[in-house]
Amino acid sequence: KKVKWSDFAILVRANDQASSYISIMRKANIPNQFIASKGLYTQDIILDILSYLKLLDNYHESTALYRILNLAIYNLNIKSIINLNHLANKKSWSLFYTLKIYKSYLNLPLADQRNIKKLLKNIEEHTELAKRKPIYQVVYTWLEDSGYLNLLTIEDSQSNKEQLDFLNQFFNELREWEEESLGTESVHNFLEKMDMKLESGELGSIQYDIESGPDI
């Protein structure tokens, strides 16, 4: 009983060999910390944020919108997403345009209609917000308005704690970029810088407090 989780370690020869261990430990609710993990910009919450920012920069980024539609916070039925995507492809429309006029072609469940309306309202309001507020503030507002933050804090799980930690690290980067640009950083310019980083192979470093260990 005196032994802590941080007293144990699993050594692997390559990072990809750790995934099966991590998956099993999460299912068994065993606290763990993958010290060799890299790629802040490849984490789910960061990819979601980048996709949403792409929408604010260009509504017709269908790939970005598809990812957002699949988020649990908008709770869309998978069948509705498939039908919307099929309609967009059939008509050669952007997914955003399809969301604006789908009612003339599709009869979606009322719950999905409400959630689509919520998403479109978020995009409209946050596009305006991005014209006058720093990017990190726009991101935080979306996380609040959409219920994303609430989803991460409602359950005290290790996965949620990790995502919140990644979010904090990303916010620190956003503030640094904002300071370097003297508050003139636009969403478009920020995304261009991110694209250049990713194209150069930069995936973002992840900071871990190794001394703290995984114990809850």
Side-chain angles (χ1 to χ4, degrees):
K1 293 183 179 181
K2 294 181 180 180
V3 177
K4 298 183 296 183
W5 290 112
S6 54
D7 291 328
F8 298 89
I10 299 175
L11 305 182
V12 293
R13 291 184 179 274
N15 284 357
D16 58 355
Q17 294 177 349
S19 58
S20 59
Y21 292 101
I22 294 171
S23 176
I24 292 171
M25 286 189 286
R26 283 181 176 173
K27 288 178 181 177
N29 200 29
I30 297 174
N32 61 86
Q33 187 178 45
F34 185 29
I35 302 301
S37 181
K38 296 180 180 178
L40 179 63
Y41 308 144
T42 66
Q43 303 303 321
D44 286 341
I45 190 168
I46 310 305
L47 290 173
D48 294 340
I49 290 171
L50 293 176
S51 292
Y52 192 72
L53 289 176
K54 286 179 181 178
L55 282 181
L56 302 189
D57 180 51
N58 178 5
Y59 291 166
H60 303 291
E61 280 277 356
S62 293
T63 303
L65 181 51
Y66 182 77
R67 182 181 181 89
I68 299 302
L69 284 175
N70 279 278
L71 292 180
I73 50 175
Y74 292 111
N75 198 29
L76 282 176
N77 187 290
I78 186 62
K79 185 176 180 181
S80 295
I81 297 175
I82 291 172
N83 288 335
L84 287 164
N85 206 45
H86 178 71
L87 177 62
N89 290 332
K90 181 180 178 181
K91 297 289 187 178
S92 296
W93 293 337
S94 71
L95 199 48
F96 179 80
Y97 182 72
T98 304
L99 290 185
K100 299 285 283 187
I101 65 167
Y102 73 89
K103 288 185 179 180
S104 300
Y105 301 87
L106 299 173
N107 183 25
L108 300 184
L110 289 177
D112 287 346
Q113 292 184 38
R114 287 194 296 269
N115 290 327
I116 290 172
K117 185 177 180 181
K118 171 188 173 183
L119 172 57
L120 292 175
K121 182 182 179 184
N122 282 166
I123 294 172
E124 181 182 352
E125 291 179 349
H126 301 149
T127 299
E128 289 301 312
L129 189 67
K131 295 177 182 178
R132 61 181 190 276
K133 294 294 183 181
I135 295 173
Y136 69 85
Q137 198 164 334
V138 175
V139 171
Y140 182 81
T141 302
W142 171 59
L143 294 174
E144 277 276 8
D145 292 349
S146 65
Y148 204 131
L149 270 182
N150 184 58
L151 198 66
L152 289 178
T153 55
I154 198 169
E155 182 183 348
D156 189 25
S157 67
Q158 183 185 354
S159 178
N160 284 351
K161 286 181 178 179
E162 286 180 349
Q163 293 300 308
L164 286 170
D165 186 38
F166 297 146
L167 178 61
N168 286 331
Q169 292 182 47
F170 189 63
F171 266 127
N172 289 336
E173 289 198 13
L174 287 178
R175 290 191 182 95
E176 288 177 9
W177 278 328
E178 202 72 38
E179 290 173 2
E180 290 173 4
S181 64
L182 301 178
T184 61
E185 184 82 296
S186 68
V187 170
H188 181 76
N189 290 340
F190 166 73
L191 290 173
E192 280 191 338
K193 289 181 180 179
M194 281 299 305
D195 284 341
M196 286 189 285
K197 271 193 166 191
L198 294 171
E199 286 174 9
S200 69
E202 172 60 50
L203 298 179
S205 60
I206 297 178
Q207 304 299 321
Y208 283 111
D209 182 2
I210 299 176
E211 296 301 322
S212 67
D215 298 278
I216 297 177

